Amino acid sequence: MTLTAETPRPSVTAAAGRARRPRLLPRVAPYLQAAPLTVTLLLFLLVPILTIVAVSFWDYDSVRIYPDFVLTNYTELLASPVTWKTYLNTLKYAALTWAITLGIGFTVAYFLAFHVRSTTWQMVLFLVCTIPFWTSNIIRMISWIPFLGRNGLLNSGLISAGIIDQPLEFLLFSDFSVVLAFVHLYALFMVVPIFNSMMRIDRALIEAARDGGANAAQTLWNVILPLTKPGIAIGSIFVVTLVMGDFITVRLMSGGQSASIGLMIANEISLLQYPAAAANAVVLLAVVLIMVVAMLRIVDIRKEL
Amino acid sequence: MTDTRTPSKSAMPSTGVSRRTLLKGTAAVAGAAVGSGAITGFPTIWAQNIKNVTLRQFGTGVSNLNAVADKVKEDLGFTLQMTALDSDAVTQRAVTQPKSYDIADIEYWICKKVFPAGVMQPMDVKKIKNFDKIVPIFITGKMTPGSAIAQGTAPHTVGFVEGKDSTKFAKSATQWMTLIPTIYNADTLGIRPDLVGRPISSWKDLLDPAFKGKASLLNIPSIGIMDAAMVCEAMGEIKYGDKGNMTKEEIDKTLKIMTDAKKAGQFRAFWKTFDESVNLMSSGEVIIQSMWSPAVAAVRAKGIQCVYQPLKEGYRAWGGGLGIAKHLSGLELEAAYEYINWYLSGWVGAYLNRQGYYSAVLDTAKQHMSPEEWAFWMEGQPAKADILSPEGKVMEKAGAVRDGGSFQDRMGRVACWNAVMDEDRYMVRKWNEFIAA
């Protein structure tokens, strides 16, 4: 290309080539531009997923896995009441965490977007929200344990304040502590997209609503909420997928007493039952995809992007 | 105490230092290798290039200690890289990434899974100098010729294979050993005597309703099921043919009892790592749980009362050993043998004994311990002086007696060994149901 361009006397063929090339290049260029991402996705997403799907049909014993085509992994998985119970439990965590983070996320974002007037303060407060992310997930989680424990800060505080006589047992190693940790870990994933959506709302619309006689609640319900939906959808996808796949939070905060799908898979992997884990992962992937598709059906996320 | 201790501790480093200096000095002069071998008794035929050797060892946290790696560098001159993982991760790595290690420090019950995968090579016992002195539990399964063989995956059943390239376990001792036993112990329940408020004497106390919401169990299925079995048998609910190789009905019954207890709120938590068990106990969340002896020591080190309680039904034992990866050959294989011989030569044995574990060759370990230490750790006698940890911290005050008494009392009362069952896959599924219940 460069060579032909620099040829001092363009011959007829070269001129024809030059004429043809500009037409060819625009057609190829987008593909070339997309190629690195496509290759990366193929290599690091599609191939592993296909491998997992393939392995999920293999047979195994306590030592090895055998290339085969058996359905036992799926039948064992789906026929077991434990699987259903675990899915129900995981969905319960996801639903609770989703509802609470949505409440917190919406409130915080609303405060940031509509109550804080100066952009500087908005940014400062927004950054304050990210401070917890300066330490690792696990540390933030573990720090709840001494706080909530039987002889923990909260219980001893309540006892010495005379509010309770017996330590509250449900605070730690319970569903309560699991959901609490989830909310703590993932609330920001709700705040950010909702805040982003709210910032894009034309302030004139709110003025118009007020001029039209709407009170604050009506404005919130009929103007702000519909316009924030894409942000809510994105935040929900984050929170739900994170909770569905999590295993370490559930294990640490429930004291190993509760199960989640992620934990089930982690257990299977640690016991070298890769095919069973793969089958479980495939089912989990399907469930999460269905949930995401359902969310995208409700909200047209393209508007946001 | 420090006085009696110093000679035993300083004796070794001084030889080590001179040997090390010698190795350094003669690194260029190959001939001096013979001389260095004469000093400590290790045949060092390759001293000139030994420094280039690096052996990668991995295993559970109990025995993968940096102190050992440092001492290897000092005594043998080559580098030993240690990676400590949990039991499950060890199994996984041993089987799936055999090229990622040279020496596997694995437990015998894991060996039952790992060795048939063909990732390890059997060791020639002729090259193991102290082979004859290894505690007979690992060779015949018996403490003394008359004692009974405990249930479960007893180490001697997976200790030997039939031939050099075989992956089939031999019924009795052969020339080819799978693992060189390094460390073992008898496990029992740990309790907080200040909080349980009564003497604990049986495994069944774990499910005593008095400790509702304050008990814990180990959540590593192969080990946890054995503790559960000890409890159920002590309750008189189940009589097992072999706790280490249960039938499906036995598994179902055992986990039914445990599930009912869980649903009734007996357990506070299930732990998977050493640290978790220490934290549960020291925070008072749990007052009785299955526990490992160093974890009990770790709780006590925080100034909190904790007892490693001997129980009338006996102990659940475990053992670990060093195995050599299949790919090892030539100089590195020689270094591995050298290392294993060194391991059994006493220094590590004394180190492990001082932590409350037991070493495979007792005679050599004894030479590296003071008579007072030996009497306390191995003979169950009251300490004549303060007992120090290998790092030199005071572990027990003078007059203290070791939990469970002497070596004979403890290892002689092993009821079962950690095991892999024939119905392993079924058991794990049922165990997961129990955890999810």
Side-chain angles (χ1 to χ4, degrees):
Chain A
M1 170 64 207
T2 23
L3 262 179
T4 29
E6 281 165 10
T7 317
R9 338 176 249 107
S11 67
V12 187
T13 43
R18 226 192 307 173
R20 214 175 326 122
R21 236 172 241 116
R23 252 179 279 135
L24 181 75
L25 197 65
R27 264 190 290 149
V28 178
Y31 291 102
L32 286 176
Q33 283 172 321
L37 185 64
T38 316
V39 171
T40 313
L41 284 179
L42 274 178
L43 265 181
F44 296 106
L45 190 72
L46 207 61
V47 172
I49 288 179
L50 290 178
T51 315
I52 291 172
V53 172
V55 170
S56 72
F57 291 105
W58 288 10
D59 199 8
Y60 67 99
D61 62 21
S62 60
V63 182
R64 268 184 256 206
I65 54 179
Y66 305 99
D68 202 349
F69 187 87
V70 291
L71 292 170
T72 37
N73 298 317
Y74 286 99
T75 47
E76 272 184 9
L77 180 72
L78 298 176
S80 160
V82 177
T83 312
W84 295 98
K85 232 159 89 187
T86 312
Y87 265 93
L88 218 63
N89 203 36
T90 313
L91 287 171
K92 180 182 78 185
Y93 287 144
L96 283 171
T97 311
W98 176 77
I100 299 170
T101 50
L102 178 61
I104 295 175
F106 193 88
T107 320
V108 171
Y110 185 86
F111 174 79
L112 283 179
F114 295 109
H115 275 267
V116 182
R117 296 285 169 195
S118 94
T119 327
T120 325
W121 274 109
Q122 268 175 348
M123 285 336 286
V124 168
L125 291 176
F126 185 73
L127 287 176
V128 166
C129 289
T130 66
I131 285 179
F133 282 74
W134 295 358
T135 53
S136 93
N137 253 1
I138 297 194
I139 304 244
R140 275 184 290 152
M141 202 154 43
I142 286 176
S143 53
W144 280 108
I145 293 176
F147 180 76
L148 297 173
R150 185 176 279 141
N151 307 311
L153 279 175
L154 187 57
N155 267 326
S156 35
L158 289 174
I159 289 174
S160 58
I163 299 170
I164 49 170
D165 331 314
Q166 284 289 318
L168 298 171
E169 303 272 327
F170 75 89
L171 287 177
L172 187 60
F173 301 144
S174 59
D175 285 351
F176 171 80
S177 57
V178 174
V179 173
L180 180 77
F182 273 140
V183 169
H184 175 208
L185 294 177
Y186 300 144
L188 192 67
F189 290 104
M190 220 34 140
V191 174
V192 175
I194 296 178
F195 175 66
N196 187 34
S197 287
M198 282 180 175
M199 289 305 281
R200 289 169 180 224
I201 296 173
D202 192 345
R203 296 298 188 267
L205 290 173
I206 293 159
E207 258 174 59
R210 202 182 301 135
D211 292 346
N215 61 26
Q218 282 170 322
T219 313
L220 184 70
W221 188 254
N222 296 313
V223 180
I224 296 176
L225 191 66
L227 290 172
T228 324
K229 265 188 188 168
I232 295 176
I234 293 176
S236 306
I237 291 172
F238 272 128
V239 171
V240 169
T241 48
L242 283 168
V243 173
M244 289 300 287
D246 179 276
F247 67 100
I248 195 75
T249 311
V250 175
R251 187 168 92 67
L252 284 178
M253 297 309 289
S254 77
Q257 296 239 55
S258 291
S260 72
I261 306 298
L263 199 56
M264 237 160 88
I265 297 175
N267 276 341
E268 282 160 351
I269 291 174
S270 70
L271 293 157
L272 295 174
Q273 303 179 339
Y274 290 105
N280 214 334
V282 170
V283 174
L284 176 63
L285 185 66
V287 170
V288 172
L289 280 180
I290 290 169
M291 291 169 80
V292 171
V293 168
M295 280 189 253
L296 293 182
R297 282 247 151 166
I298 298 168
V299 181
D300 181 12
I301 212 159
R302 289 230 180 97
K303 265 200 291 187
E304 179 79 351
L305 312 168
Chain B
M1 182 59 219
T2 10
D3 285 344
T4 51
R5 224 183 122 71
T6 319
S8 75
K9 268 204 108 180
S10 60
M12 206 45 198
S14 67
T15 34
V17 165
S18 64
R19 180 187 150 78
R20 176 100 187 89
T21 345
L22 194 82
L23 274 179
K24 264 188 198 155
T26 55
V29 194
V34 185
S36 86
I39 284 180
T40 47
F42 306 127
T44 313
I45 50 168
W46 24 255
Q48 67 273 33
N49 45 10
I50 188 166
K51 280 197 295 184
N52 303 330
V53 172
T54 298
L55 290 180
R56 298 160 300 163
Q57 175 182 326
F58 81 109
T60 49
V62 285
S63 50
N64 282 263
L65 309 158
N66 282 326
V68 173
D70 293 344
K71 192 69 182 166
V72 164
K73 187 81 193 161
E74 197 178 305
D75 280 5
L76 301 177
F78 57 79
T79 307
L80 188 68
Q81 281 172 1
M82 294 279 201
T83 312
L85 304 164
D86 66 63
S87 299
D88 287 341
V90 165
T91 322
Q92 213 176 330
R93 180 138 174 208
V95 177
T96 57
Q97 302 165 49
K99 291 267 159 64
S100 74
Y101 58 88
D102 304 312
I103 296 193
D105 182 348
I106 55 184
E107 288 163 66
Y108 276 90
W109 62 276
I110 295 176
C111 176
K112 194 173 175 183
K113 286 186 175 188
V114 172
F115 217 86
V119 293
M120 318 275 289
Q121 55 175 304
M123 277 169 280
D124 187 349
V125 299
K126 285 186 184 145
K127 292 191 187 173
I128 311 292
K129 278 176 57 191
N130 285 313
F131 175 74
D132 297 338
K133 294 184 192 156
I134 291 175
V135 179
I137 303 174
F138 294 93
I139 311 297
T140 63
K142 298 172 178 182
M143 267 293 273
T144 55
S147 56
I149 294 174
Q151 294 178 350
T153 305
H156 74 285
T157 59
V158 293
F160 296 90
V161 284
E162 288 170 348
K164 191 178 190 313
D165 298 309
S166 175
T167 54
K168 201 162 174 287
F169 296 119
K171 295 248 181 311
S172 59
T174 65
Q175 193 194 332
W176 302 100
M177 208 167 188
T178 55
L179 299 179
I180 291 293
T182 49
I183 183 171
Y184 51 101
N185 206 350
D187 281 351
T188 181
L189 295 177
I191 59 162
R192 283 279 300 266
D194 51 334
L195 299 177
V196 291
R198 71 172 174 84
I200 301 295
S201 63
S202 167
W203 280 90
K204 71 176 179 209
D205 290 324
L206 185 71
L207 292 193
D208 185 338
F211 308 135
K212 189 179 161 190
K214 294 175 179 175
S216 175
L217 191 65
L218 165 75
N219 182 15
I220 297 174
S222 303
I223 307 177
I225 190 81
M226 303 301 281
D227 282 350
M230 292 297 281
V231 172
C232 293
E233 200 168 52
M235 290 166 80
E237 297 281 345
I238 306 172
K239 186 87 187 105
Y240 296 93
D242 180 352
K243 285 188 280 299
N245 202 1
M246 299 181 194
T247 61
K248 283 188 176 178
E249 296 75 57
E250 285 172 341
I251 294 169
D252 287 345
K253 269 165 124 187
T254 309
L255 289 173
K256 170 86 171 57
I257 292 170
M258 301 314 275
T259 307
D260 289 347
K262 186 187 176 208
K263 285 193 174 143
Q266 183 69 13
F267 299 108
R268 181 66 169 155
F270 297 115
W271 61 268
K272 203 152 192 169
T273 64
F274 181 90
D275 301 335
E276 280 177 304
S277 76
V278 173
N279 289 337
L280 285 173
M281 208 65 165
S282 50
S283 64
E285 295 295 336
V286 161
I287 60 176
I288 181 167
Q289 65 174 353
S290 47
M291 215 169 170
W292 295 335
S293 115
V296 173
V299 175
R300 272 211 291 258
K302 296 183 179 184
I304 296 161
Q305 281 188 59
C306 189
V307 172
Y308 196 55
Q309 183 63 48
L311 304 168
K312 62 179 182 223
E313 293 86 10
Y315 295 87
R316 173 185 54 74
W318 57 270
L322 296 177
I324 301 179
K326 187 137 218 162
H327 67 84
L328 222 59
S329 63
L331 182 64
E332 285 177 338
L333 184 60
E334 290 302 317
Y337 272 109
E338 184 89 337
Y339 166 58
I340 283 164
N341 276 321
W342 171 84
Y343 209 104
L344 297 179
S345 73
W347 186 87
V348 189
Y351 193 97
L352 297 175
N353 283 359
R354 277 189 203 109
Q355 289 193 320
Y357 302 113
Y358 296 117
S359 60
V361 179
L362 298 176
D363 301 354
T364 53
K366 190 173 183 177
Q367 291 159 19
H368 288 264
M369 294 171 83
S370 70
E372 290 80 5
E373 282 181 315
W374 184 261
F376 173 80
W377 289 115
M378 302 304 291
E379 289 165 354
Q381 293 171 13
K384 290 203 185 74
D386 285 355
I387 294 296
L388 306 183
S389 72
E391 295 84 32
K393 278 201 293 188
V394 176
M395 282 180 96
E396 298 285 354
K397 293 262 185 298
V401 182
R402 177 182 186 160
D403 299 326
S406 71
F407 176 74
Q408 286 291 337
D409 282 346
R410 284 171 59 123
M411 292 314 292
R413 294 193 52 239
V414 168
C416 61
W417 291 86
N418 286 348
V420 176
M421 307 182 183
D422 295 340
E423 294 292 348
D424 186 50
R425 192 170 155 175
Y426 181 78
M427 186 278 286
V428 168
R429 222 175 71 214
K430 288 287 155 182
W431 182 267
N432 286 338
E433 288 178 16
F434 157 58
I435 295 295

